[in-house]
Amino acid sequence: MRQPLDIPSQAFRDDVVVLNAHGARYSGGRWVIGAKTRHDGDLLGEPRTAGGPEHATNAATKWIRDHCASEGLEVFRVDNLNDQYPEDERPQFTLIRFFVDRAMGTAPEGWSPQPPAAGDTEGQDQKARGEAA
């Protein structure tokens, strides 16, 4: 591990952060993988591994999942974007996108508006104003 992963709290938007892990092969079968929230952002962590592009992808996935599990975060989606590279460059690079949620974040039922409770005149007033407009 060259630099342990550290996801700053300000990187989260509505309890979700998107991490991009970009791996590149250097010197034989050795790989460096860096995690960032943006292509031009600060490096959040950097492990090194050996093997081919599939091994680098698996190592990055394990690295991010292990970190998130130890920090109480949840990886809820992983996209392998290696096919974004031209075919002749794919053996040299790997790109994986991770969507990470704070486990204590908003549950899906909290993402949509709730109907007003029975007897809630404020909600009824807002509905009437909307119909009048």
Side-chain angles (χ1 to χ4, degrees), residues 16-106:
V16 174
V17 66
V18 178
L19 298 176
N20 296 292
H22 179 261
R25 183 166 65 166
Y26 76 102
S27 183
R30 295 187 301 175
W31 286 76
V32 174
I33 303 163
K36 297 180 175 187
T37 57
R38 297 173 38 100
H39 74 281
D40 59 351
D42 294 333
L43 186 66
L44 303 176
E46 180 186 311
R48 295 185 179 200
T49 188
E54 297 84 16
H55 180 78
T57 298
N58 292 338
T61 301
K62 181 178 181 346
W63 173 57
I64 300 267
R65 286 189 185 277
D66 288 352
H67 172 79
C68 289
S70 71
E71 296 294 318
L73 304 172
E74 177 186 356
V75 176
F76 66 90
R77 181 174 169 176
V78 178
D79 295 333
N80 184 338
L81 302 174
N82 201 40
D83 62 352
Q84 301 294 313
Y85 292 108
E87 195 162 333
D88 62 325
E89 292 180 12
R90 291 180 192 169
Q92 309 301 320
F93 301 103
T94 188
L95 179 61
I96 312 105
R97 181 172 49 206
F98 298 87
F99 294 83
V100 177
D101 185 21
R102 293 183 186 175
M104 66 282 207
T106 306

